[in-house]
Amino acid sequence: MKESGTLIRIDLDFKNAFISAGHSCLWANLRGLGVPDVDFLEDLYSESWMKINVSTGCSAPIQLDTGTVQRSVLSPLLFDLFHNALLRLLDATGITHGIKRTPQWNHAAFADDLSIYVCTVRDANMILELIHEFESWSGLRISIPKSLATGAMYGTGTARRQEGAKGQSKKRKRDAGPDILKPQIQALEAMDNALDKDNTLKLITKGQKVWRFNLATMHRQCPICQKKKGNCYFLIQPHRLECKHACETGIKYNGMTLKVLHGKTPIRLLGIRYNMWLDSTAQRLYVLDEITELACFLRKNRDLTIENSLRLIECTLAPLLAFSGPVIIWPEKEFKRLTAAFVQCHKEVWQMLPSTSTALFTFPKDRGGLQVKMPRAIICSATWCHLTRCCQFDDGTRQLDEITYKDALENGCLDMEDQFEVEFLTWDQASQNSFTFACHLTSTIGIRVHWDPFNPDWIASAANINLAEVMIKT
């Protein structure tokens, strides 16, 4: 998380990305990258065509000059190389996210999803203009309805900037004139009339009705745009209800303003829901809801055999937790609820009463238990696999993990030679660092891992350019 300043994230979605890449642009890109046998690929695609079945028969052959072949093993690689041209173009701008002590970059991409990270609106618009130029050249198209912008202000300057935003809101109210406070003024005047001792009981009752009506109008009406509160005009948040006219960021793509979400709004990115403060409450609730729904399904469908029910939870429970487990933090109290939900699902599989002892599922087989794989073991395995993949190649994820690893060593929260010391850390203390948390899980389970992920003598620690030079020489 950023220590201070502003961080802006823009999520862009390409429309039909895999079938929109222009062939001429693709071949030019491959030749520029030095890919061999481009002529062979060009010959394969030059004769590609399709026909459409209609009620009167087949249409005439339609020549294809965009997209990659469906179900071809080369198609994902070709698209990645094509998309890589845009990523290199973004790197060449020199614009970065501005986060200290981390590798400086401005984007993160996976398949046809692209996220831009910058620290100013000006940098964001410059990046978007560059992407629009690439869009015009390549044939790829950005889906504006599916794209959005979000951001957050971190550090000690946050309070000052929030006060400045409140001042600007008051200024807008003053500039709008007295009409903007009309519902509030009417409500206060009606309240004064209702409380006036000289009025009769009838006037008091009438005044109270007017006061309640105007007070309700004041709650329903936006004091900025004078429109009724609803999904069209407000960002729905338990802690924040804000008019969209008060959060104009000036971030535009090809002249069209992108949808803006508050930084504390959970956003689903690559299947995981979290906000700009790395709060993963929405994702944790999603996992718990899915497990509860599975338990209810098993209770309603008692006609399923135990064997089929076991296969069902084996294919759903572990992947559901392992997918997001390594990248979100589970508080200890919620993790206990998660474990209880796991056990409840297994009780429903065996059609047992809720009061059945949990030891039947948690005890090992040599002690009479079923030895069910619990969430602690699932997250432990998924976390170590995640760290191994992140440290495998010389890229941004490896650099970020190296920083995390050094922080764990410097803060005395990790000792790869004596990992059992991590067992004495509390759950919340260990979960603040991914390496410390992984060692904490293995220690509590009784496993010891021998791993030196950033050994300079390992081939994974060598830079990509050095490996390429060795391959060329051999």
Side-chain angles (χ1 to χ4, degrees):
M1 184 182 295
K2 198 168 185 178
E3 296 177 355
S4 62
T6 303
L7 180 63
I8 300 173
R9 192 184 85 196
I10 305 172
D11 296 335
L12 300 176
D13 182 80
F14 290 98
K15 292 190 294 186
N16 300 323
F18 295 98
I19 62 175
S20 301
H23 288 171
S24 59
C25 300
L26 177 59
W27 312 138
N29 183 29
L30 294 180
R31 288 190 175 95
L33 293 174
V35 177
D37 300 327
V38 178
D39 295 335
F40 173 72
L41 295 174
E42 191 172 359
D43 291 339
L44 289 177
Y45 278 82
S46 62
E47 301 297 332
S48 59
W49 53 271
M50 72 174 185
K51 291 183 179 182
I52 301 177
N53 287 324
V54 293
S55 58
T56 57
C58 290
S59 66
I62 302 174
Q63 192 72 22
L64 300 178
D65 59 355
T66 61
T68 55
V69 178
Q70 301 295 317
R71 296 190 299 273
S72 173
V73 294
L74 280 177
S75 296
L77 179 59
L78 290 177
F79 180 80
D80 285 345
L81 292 174
F82 182 75
H83 199 193
N84 192 56
L86 172 61
L87 305 184
R88 290 191 175 191
L89 192 62
L90 297 179
D91 283 333
T93 61
I95 298 174
T96 65
H97 48 65
I99 301 177
K100 298 178 181 179
R101 299 176 56 243
T102 59
Q104 297 299 305
W105 39 265
N106 56 25
H107 65 269
F110 179 80
D112 59 342
D113 293 320
L114 176 64
S115 295
I116 305 299
Y117 295 87
V118 292
C119 55
T120 64
V121 175
R122 177 176 173 272
D123 291 343
N125 287 325
M126 289 179 60
I127 292 288
L128 292 178
E129 289 178 4
L130 195 62
I131 295 175
H132 178 61
E133 294 179 5
F134 181 83
E135 177 187 30
S136 304
W137 172 78
S138 64
L140 297 178
R141 293 292 178 265
I142 297 293
S143 176
I144 299 298
K146 293 184 179 180
S147 302
L148 58 91
T150 184
M153 294 182 295
Y154 306 102
T156 57
T158 302
R160 175 177 52 82
R161 287 185 287 271
Q162 289 177 348
E163 289 296 329
K166 292 181 181 178
Q168 292 179 2
S169 177
K170 293 179 180 179
K171 184 177 182 300
R172 283 194 297 268
K173 293 180 181 179
R174 290 195 301 268
D175 295 341
D179 291 340
I180 199 163
L181 298 177
K182 189 175 180 180
Q184 292 91 325
I185 294 174
Q186 290 178 348
L188 294 175
E189 289 178 350
M191 183 175 63
D192 292 337
N193 293 331
L195 297 176
D196 191 351
K197 296 181 180 180
D198 296 335
N199 289 336
T200 61
L201 180 62
K202 184 176 181 180
L203 290 177
I204 291 176
T205 305
K206 181 180 179 181
Q208 289 177 345
K209 291 181 179 179
V210 175
W211 170 56
R212 292 192 183 97
F213 174 78
N214 286 294
L215 189 62
T217 303
M218 178 183 66
H219 289 319
R220 292 195 304 266
Q221 192 173 5
C222 173
I224 297 176
C225 65
Q226 289 291 294
K227 296 182 179 179
K228 291 183 179 180
K229 296 179 180 180
N231 293 333
C232 297
Y233 303 104
F234 286 79
L235 299 172
I236 303 301
Q237 282 293 309
H239 56 277
R240 187 182 183 93
L241 189 63
E242 185 178 19
C243 175
K244 72 172 185 179
H245 297 281
C247 58
E248 296 290 343
T249 60
I251 299 177
K252 297 182 178 181
Y253 184 82
N254 193 23
M256 292 179 286
T257 303
L258 294 180
K259 177 174 62 177
V260 179
L261 295 181
H262 190 269
K264 291 187 177 180
T265 304
I267 300 174
R268 184 174 179 267
L269 181 62
L270 299 181
I272 300 177
R273 300 155 181 83
Y274 62 94
N275 61 22
M276 293 295 290
W277 270 264
L278 302 183
D279 183 6
S280 57
T281 303
Q283 180 65 26
R284 299 195 302 269
L285 291 176
Y286 169 78
V287 173
L288 289 172
D289 290 343
E290 290 294 314
I291 297 175
T292 304
E293 184 178 354
L294 179 59
C296 294
F297 173 82
L298 293 172
R299 175 168 294 185
K300 292 179 181 179
N301 295 272
R302 294 294 191 182
D303 54 336
L304 288 175
T305 63
I306 295 179
E307 183 180 1
N308 290 335
S309 299
L310 286 173
R311 289 179 180 176
L312 177 62
I313 63 173
E314 183 181 354
C315 296
T316 54
L317 286 184
L320 176 65
L321 180 59
F323 178 73
S324 60
V327 294
I328 67 174
I329 297 177
W330 282 89
E332 189 172 9
K333 291 183 179 179
E334 291 190 18
F335 190 77
K336 291 180 179 179
R337 288 177 52 200
L338 176 67
T339 305
F342 260 65
V343 174
Q344 183 60 36
C345 280
H346 285 278
K347 290 181 180 179
E348 296 297 339
V349 167
W350 294 95
Q351 301 181 8
M352 296 179 177
L353 295 175
S355 58
T356 305
S357 176
T358 305
L360 179 62
F361 302 95
T362 57
F363 274 29
K365 292 182 179 180
D366 57 356
R367 296 189 179 183
L370 294 176
Q371 199 172 346
V372 174
K373 194 173 183 180
M374 289 286 104
R376 185 183 296 269
I378 295 173
I379 291 184
C380 178
S381 176
T383 302
W384 280 106
C385 291
H386 174 73
L387 293 175
T388 304
R389 289 192 296 267
C390 290
C391 301
Q392 188 173 4
F393 301 106
D394 181 25
D395 54 13
T397 55
R398 177 182 172 84
Q399 295 173 6
L400 290 174
D401 273 7
E402 187 172 3
I403 295 173
T404 305
Y405 181 75
K406 291 180 179 179
D407 286 343
L409 295 177
E410 292 175 358
N411 296 329
C413 297
L414 177 64
D415 186 359
M416 296 300 293
E417 297 297 329
D418 191 5
Q419 298 175 21
F420 290 108
E421 293 183 359
V422 186
E423 185 179 356
F424 298 101
L425 295 176
T426 65
W427 176 279
D428 294 332
Q429 289 174 343
S431 61
Q432 300 303 315
N433 186 285
S434 56
F435 285 93
T436 305
F437 186 58
C439 292
H440 176 76
L441 291 174
T442 54
S443 298
T444 55
I445 295 175
I447 301 174
R448 183 168 182 174
V449 178
H450 296 276
W451 187 40
D452 188 5
F454 303 103
N455 191 325
D457 297 331
W458 285 20
I459 191 172
S461 300
N464 289 335
I465 187 172
N466 296 335
L467 295 177
E469 292 177 355
V470 172
M471 294 179 64
I472 292 174
K473 290 179 181 179
T474 56

